[in-house]
Amino acid sequence: MKLTKLHWLSALTIFALMSGLIVHLVISANAIPQHNVQALDPNQSIEELASSEKQQVIALTLKIAELQSQVLRLNALGDRLADDNNIPQEEFNFEQMPPAGGPIQSPEEIKDKTLADLLLETNDLAKSLALEEKQLKILESLTLGHHIQNNSYLSGRPIIKGWLSSYYGIRKDPFNGRPAMHKGVDFAGKENAPIIATASGVVSWASERYGYGNLIEIDHGDGYKTRYGHNKVILVELGDVVEKGQVIAKMGSTGRSTGPHVHYEILRNNTQINPAKYVYRKAK
């Protein structure tokens, strides 16, 4: 499914209208006449009436604060989506009220609302906002999925400068001198040299792991993952979305290592494969 600019404009318009409606409710609440907050019940005492009115005011205040927080989250999400999808800022500026107008109503045409009425309206609005937030997050996930899919083609080296120092396969173990299987390739270089992602994806590991030292693992979808071991400094966190070519770490010699290098692995369906053809193939 291709998400066009029209899809994003439609979604963002809904949130702009929701923001305006919340402001309308706040203004309406401030304009309520104190003598008409609720219908009088002859069986209630003055103390009970006062307590009930106070509880409604507190409930309405809390609900409005909750809605304002929701609007702030939606505005932030909308801003990010608009920026990620190159929607011009002048078309959707979430820091300004949306344009509005219409004929002026006379005071007789404006119906006073009780606190109970406003509480019902704010509850309905809260449900609508929750639904719209869910839909917007789905759109965000779709955008993220398409973006990763378009840039998840594995190619190139995980370094900018350096050299290939050890191949995939059986080799002499650098610590005990015995034959051992090396399930990746090593690229040597200078300490603190940048380590880059060889494809876009989501960080599925960003911490220390036995033997690897400081390890980064990136999930690229379709069963493919890459690993970058022995880093001195990790520059990404678990769950981050990374771009192809993005600097994700600084070269080091942590873990089971004899000097500054990056141990690079490619996994297909959780099994290490020879990275050679991916390292030398051209990017799309």
Side-chain angles (χ1 to χ4, degrees):
M1 180 179 69
K2 185 178 180 180
L3 301 178
T4 65
K5 179 178 178 181
L6 180 60
H7 288 112
W8 295 115
L9 293 178
S10 300
L12 296 175
T13 299
I14 293 173
F15 295 113
L17 292 175
M18 286 295 182
S19 300
L21 183 55
I22 286 182
V23 174
H24 167 72
L25 287 176
V26 174
I27 295 174
S28 299
N30 292 334
I32 297 173
Q34 294 301 315
H35 63 276
N36 191 31
V37 294
Q38 63 179 20
L40 294 178
D41 184 349
N43 296 321
Q44 283 184 303
S45 66
I46 297 298
E47 290 79 8
E48 288 174 335
L49 286 173
S51 175
S52 177
E53 177 183 337
K54 183 177 180 180
Q55 290 174 357
Q56 288 182 339
V57 171
I58 293 173
L60 182 60
T61 302
L62 293 175
K63 180 58 67 176
I64 289 175
E66 178 184 333
L67 292 177
Q68 288 173 332
S69 297
Q70 280 186 279
V71 169
L72 289 175
R73 290 198 304 271
L74 292 177
N75 285 350
L77 185 55
D79 278 333
R80 188 166 70 250
L81 284 175
D83 183 62
D84 291 345
N85 290 276
N86 298 319
I87 296 178
Q89 186 175 5
E90 60 271 14
E91 292 187 20
F92 281 94
N93 186 348
F94 288 88
E95 295 181 357
Q96 297 179 357
M97 285 291 296
I104 300 176
Q105 290 182 304
S106 64
E108 292 77 15
E109 295 175 317
I110 301 175
K111 181 182 178 181
D112 292 336
K113 296 180 180 180
T114 66
L115 287 173
D117 291 334
L118 286 174
L119 278 171
L120 290 175
E121 289 188 15
T122 52
N123 282 330
D124 290 339
L125 180 58
K127 293 177 182 178
S128 297
L129 281 175
L131 177 61
E132 298 298 340
E133 183 174 11
K134 182 178 180 181
Q135 291 176 339
L136 188 56
K137 287 183 176 179
I138 290 174
L139 288 175
E140 182 187 34
S141 297
L142 287 172
T143 302
L144 177 61
H146 284 290
H147 176 72
I148 291 177
Q149 186 177 8
N150 292 336
N151 296 278
S152 60
Y153 184 78
L154 281 168
S155 63
R157 306 192 305 172
I159 59 172
I160 298 174
K161 290 183 179 181
W163 62 94
L164 182 63
S165 58
S166 183
Y167 288 92
Y168 175 94
I170 301 296
R171 67 171 186 178
K172 181 179 178 182
D173 186 279
F175 287 92
N176 58 33
R178 298 174 182 175
M181 180 65 185
H182 186 228
K183 295 184 178 181
V185 292
D186 293 340
F187 289 93
K190 294 182 178 180
E191 188 174 11
N192 292 318
I195 305 300
I196 60 174
T198 54
S200 297
V202 179
V203 177
S204 51
W205 184 279
S207 184
E208 186 178 359
R209 185 181 290 187
Y210 178 76
Y212 291 93
N214 292 327
L215 173 69
I216 295 172
E217 181 181 89
I218 301 176
D219 191 332
H220 305 284
D222 294 329
Y224 283 90
K225 296 179 181 179
T226 52
R227 287 177 179 169
Y228 312 77
H230 308 303
N231 304 293
K232 180 179 180 180
V233 179
I234 293 176
L235 302 177
V236 293
E237 296 180 355
L238 183 66
D240 282 355
V241 177
V242 297
E243 304 277 351
K244 182 180 179 68
Q246 178 179 331
V247 177
I248 57 174
K250 292 183 179 181
M251 185 178 291
S253 184
T254 59
R256 197 170 183 268
S257 170
T258 60
H261 75 287
V262 57
H263 172 80
Y264 177 61
E265 292 182 1
I266 296 180
L267 292 84
R268 184 172 58 203
N269 298 323
N270 294 319
T271 300
Q272 289 97 336
I273 61 175
N274 191 342
K277 73 173 184 178
Y278 300 93
V279 169
Y280 292 110
R281 73 178 177 178
K282 294 181 180 180
K284 284 186 176 180

